[in-house]
Amino acid sequence: MNGYNFAYLDEQTKRMIRRALLKAVAIPGYQVPFGGREMPMPYGWGTGGMQLTASILGSDDVLKVIDQGADDTTNAVSIRAFFQRVAGVETTTATTSASVIQTRHRIPEAALSHGQILVFQVPIPEPLRFIEPSEQETRLMHALEEYGVMHVKLYEDIARYGHIATTYAYPVKVDDRYVMDPSPIPKFDNPKLHMNEALMLFGAGREKRLYAIPPYTRVESLDFEDHPFEIQAWDECCALCGSETSYLDEVITDDAGNRMFVCSDTDYCMTRRGEVA
Amino acid sequence: MLWPGLTDPVHDSQRLFRQILQAMSEPGTLHNLDLDAPPEVAPIGAALWGALLTLCDLDTRVWIARELDTPALREALSFHTGCRLADDPASADFAVVTPTTLHTEIAFATGSDEYPDRSTTLLVSLDSLNDQGPWQISGPGIPERRWLDVGDGEALMGCLARNHTQFPRGLDALLACDARLTAIPRSSRIEKCLKEDRSCMSQ
């Protein structure tokens, strides 16, 4: 596309983000501040993820973009079209053939492989933010590894509901040091963060923070001995592909109370239906 | 003779960055950086030159160790990247060093507890670099463990191992010999394995 540098961002911005990414990878789970740029869409639509994608993307990459697991929702379609236009890269919906996957709020069901990069869009990077509004204080809490308050928050769930009621953006501890917000992925996806073969990068555009989990890194979800971490489970299976192991969305089908459960990962569901058919 | 820059600055720096990113996220893996090498007489090889071209610009300060400091390197760096050269190692974003440099204690920036990212990245020029050797590294990015041979590496690995004990503060290092490059970030645990008894000594 004429008038723009390859992948939209100018080279100086890319270098600044690249230097920050190297620090993020060297300190897994630590939030590195970066000079976030205005992107041609509003905050909250994945400007952080897009800036990371633009900084790592090359002309031989194959890009996949998902929004809540789906390739065909507004956010995914427009970001995919954006990079097609400003970088001319090949795009795909198949998880296994993508080299870079930008995601909003899901980790694909198909196992990621070595060499793939998963870029998360993050709204609020600070896991302690709802407990402590001051950035200075939360920085200090991370510095001192002062994470007791996070356990108190989870314990309050147990005291009130009898179980940990946090179902998404469930806090994790990376390599036994930093408590990190895995972005609003369902806690169903948390176990996939642990020792994943792919490099995982997180970008928050409004908050101007980025962080990373290198491949093969220990990632634990916070829990208690007597209330161990558990993922969601459903009595139903996917109404389209019959999967009993994937993350399911509940879809209301009429106004008489009828509903169905379908895979949130559209590529996984379509692939399975292809196999079944 | 003027040192060569990147033929295609946009795509070459992207390609080199991805290799450096992979090296940093999978410590101990070797990567061959493909670019025009600096002249024979240059104190650094192609991989370190590639890393400097990829990562430096007018926002960065580079510190050069005395044994590598030549007018040609300074001139090439200013011409191709526009980076500033630092006299004080504590203010450097990148430091170009050799293992010999690290025999003496140099006060590079290691960041603060609140902002550990404000630290120097070492660019270490090595005489040899192989993935079979006495130095065992483990930690994030490494499935179990990897081994490295960095030539005469006692001072270098000692420095990097001490560095890990200050985590999250610390230095990250890109190690390079000619076109070959690997990385040891501060998150890596380093041990020396003696061949005879296979036992590991923690540094």
Side-chain angles (χ1 to χ4, degrees), chain B residues 167-184:
Chain B
F167 191 88
R169 289 189 296 132
L171 306 165
D172 310 307
L174 292 174
L175 316 177
C177 171
D178 295 329
R180 209 174 315 150
L181 177 131
T182 189
I184 302 184

Side-chain angles (χ1 to χ4, degrees), chain B residues 7-203:
Chain B
T7 320
D8 179 347
V10 172
H11 295 101
D12 284 348
S13 62
Q14 184 277 336
R15 179 173 52 81
L16 297 179
F17 169 71
R18 281 284 281 276
Q19 291 189 291
I20 295 168
L21 179 66
Q22 202 181 2
M24 196 60 108
S25 56
E26 295 175 52
T29 53
L30 298 182
H31 302 266
N32 268 310
L33 270 55
D34 178 23
L35 73 155
D36 294 335
E40 279 286 301
V41 292
I44 59 170
L48 273 199
W49 180 232
L52 285 165
L53 288 176
T54 304
L55 299 171
C56 293
D57 56 25
L58 28 149
D59 286 338
T60 51
R61 272 185 293 255
V62 178
W63 184 85
I64 306 171
R66 199 179 300 130
E67 54 269 36
L68 297 175
D69 201 349
T70 63
L73 172 58
R74 283 172 169 262
E75 197 185 325
L77 260 182
S78 318
F79 180 78
H80 286 293
T81 71
C83 70
R84 285 168 289 169
L85 296 168
D87 295 325
D88 178 12
S91 70
D93 300 300
F94 295 95
V96 192
V97 299
T98 66
T100 321
T101 319
L102 301 169
H103 280 296
T104 49
E105 194 113 334
I106 298 172
F108 294 112
T110 55
S112 63
D113 286 325
E114 285 94 339
Y115 291 94
D117 57 302
R118 295 176 181 174
S119 59
T120 308
T121 303
L122 301 180
L123 304 174
V124 189
S125 178
L126 298 174
D127 294 329
S128 70
L129 174 62
N130 287 299
D131 54 3
Q132 308 279 330
W135 299 100
Q136 177 194 303
I137 55 174
S138 58
I142 306 170
E144 280 182 19
R145 55 190 69 85
R146 294 201 178 100
W147 280 273
L148 274 182
D149 169 22
V150 295
D152 176 25
E154 290 292 333
L156 168 68
M157 293 312 231
C159 167
L160 294 177
R162 271 197 305 284
N163 174 47
H164 174 70
T165 60
Q166 309 178 34
F167 191 88
R169 289 189 296 132
L171 306 165
D172 310 307
L174 292 174
L175 316 177
C177 171
D178 295 329
R180 209 174 315 150
L181 177 131
T182 189
I184 302 184
R186 66 190 79 179
S187 58
S188 292
R189 293 171 267 274
I190 304 173
E191 286 173 293
K192 183 168 191 181
C193 281
L194 300 172
K195 284 235 171 58
E196 302 84 61
D197 57 357
R198 276 316 220 176
S199 67
C200 290
M201 290 195 314
S202 209
Q203 285 283 308

Side-chain angles (χ1 to χ4, degrees), chain A residues 5-6 11-12 14-16 18-19 21-23 25-28 30-33 55-61 99-100 114-115 117 135 139-140 143 175 177-178 195 199 201 209 214-218, chain B residues 9-11 13-14 17-18 20-22 24-26 53-60 93-94 113-121 139-143 146 167-168 170-172 174 185-187 189:
Chain A
N5 188 24
F6 175 80
E11 288 303 300
Q12 181 125 357
K14 286 185 194 170
R15 270 192 301 270
M16 174 266 298
R18 287 169 183 171
R19 288 191 296 262
L21 280 173
L22 291 182
K23 289 295 170 195
V25 161
I27 320 169
Y30 165 75
Q31 300 163 50
V32 183
S55 305
I56 61 173
L57 205 62
S59 50
D60 53 352
D61 274 316
S99 58
V100 176
H114 180 244
I117 301 181
E135 167 73 7
R139 284 257 149 202
L140 192 61
D175 196 41
R177 176 58 181 81
Y178 279 100
M195 296 305 260
L199 169 63
L201 306 175
R209 296 287 184 275
Y216 316 109
T217 300
R218 289 177 297 147
Chain B
V10 172
H11 295 101
S13 62
Q14 184 277 336
F17 169 71
R18 281 284 281 276
I20 295 168
L21 179 66
Q22 202 181 2
M24 196 60 108
S25 56
E26 295 175 52
L53 288 176
T54 304
L55 299 171
C56 293
D57 56 25
L58 28 149
D59 286 338
T60 51
D93 300 300
F94 295 95
D113 286 325
E114 285 94 339
Y115 291 94
D117 57 302
R118 295 176 181 174
S119 59
T120 308
T121 303
I142 306 170
R146 294 201 178 100
F167 191 88
L171 306 165
D172 310 307
L174 292 174
R186 66 190 79 179
S187 58
R189 293 171 267 274

Side-chain angles (χ1 to χ4, degrees), chain A:
Chain A
M1 187 184 177
N2 289 335
Y4 285 99
N5 188 24
F6 175 80
Y8 188 74
L9 290 177
D10 60 279
E11 288 303 300
Q12 181 125 357
T13 301
K14 286 185 194 170
R15 270 192 301 270
M16 174 266 298
I17 294 176
R18 287 169 183 171
R19 288 191 296 262
L21 280 173
L22 291 182
K23 289 295 170 195
V25 161
I27 320 169
Y30 165 75
Q31 300 163 50
V32 183
F34 75 103
R37 300 294 193 249
E38 293 244 355
M39 296 302 278
M41 61 179 197
Y43 289 131
W45 284 76
T47 53
M50 269 173 83
Q51 289 178 72
L52 300 200
T53 303
S55 305
I56 61 173
L57 205 62
S59 50
D60 53 352
D61 274 316
V62 181
L63 179 70
K64 171 183 162 87
V65 186
I66 51 173
D67 169 7
Q68 303 270 16
D71 294 278
D72 53 4
T73 49
T74 315
N75 197 216
V77 170
S78 52
I79 293 177
R80 194 162 55 232
F82 176 81
F83 281 113
Q84 258 168 350
R85 198 161 157 195
V86 299
V89 290
E90 191 185 330
T91 59
T92 181
T93 57
T95 304
T96 45
S97 48
S99 58
V100 176
I101 304 174
Q102 181 170 334
T103 171
R104 174 178 175 271
H105 307 185
R106 269 315 303 278
I107 297 176
E109 304 289 355
L112 299 174
S113 57
H114 180 244
Q116 284 183 309
I117 301 181
L118 190 59
V119 178
F120 291 77
Q121 303 171 196
V122 183
I124 298 168
E126 179 50 74
L128 305 166
R129 182 61 70 235
F130 290 109
I131 305 165
E132 172 52 65
S134 156
E135 167 73 7
Q136 233 172 2
E137 286 297 320
T138 51
R139 284 257 149 202
L140 192 61
M141 288 161 82
H142 282 293
L144 300 174
E145 229 178 321
E146 179 60 68
Y147 294 133
V149 65
M150 201 75 220
H151 274 103
V152 172
K153 181 180 172 283
L154 297 176
Y155 178 74
E156 280 175 355
D157 274 0
I158 296 172
R160 193 168 298 165
Y161 308 107
H163 63 277
I164 299 176
T166 307
T167 52
Y168 66 96
Y170 192 104
V172 295
K173 200 168 204 186
V174 183
D175 196 41
D176 214 19
R177 176 58 181 81
Y178 279 100
V179 165
M180 189 197 93
D181 183 344
S183 85
I185 57 172
K187 66 176 178 179
F188 180 88
D189 285 341
N190 273 24
K192 297 178 198 164
L193 297 167
H194 178 67
M195 296 305 260
N196 200 311
E197 288 183 26
L199 169 63
M200 290 180 279
L201 306 175
F202 299 76
R206 177 176 39 214
E207 308 272 333
K208 299 175 176 50
R209 296 287 184 275
L210 57 85
Y211 48 103
I213 304 178
Y216 316 109
T217 300
R218 289 177 297 147
V219 180
E220 290 164 56
S221 302
L222 300 182
D223 62 357
F224 299 95
E225 274 173 25
D226 52 344
H227 285 273
F229 173 78
E230 282 172 351
I231 61 171
Q232 288 101 331
W234 291 263
D235 297 328
E236 296 79 3
C237 58
C238 172
L240 299 177
C241 77
S243 171
E244 293 170 346
T245 54
S246 81
Y247 186 81
L248 300 181
D249 283 336
E250 187 176 4
V251 180
I252 310 285
T253 50
D254 57 21
D255 57 3
N258 287 314
R259 59 198 61 206
M260 65 196 274
F261 286 85
V262 295
C263 292
S264 107
D265 186 335
T266 51
D267 172 56
Y268 173 79
C269 196
M270 306 251 275
T271 311
R272 274 181 54 86
R273 274 182 281 161
E275 280 169 9
V276 171

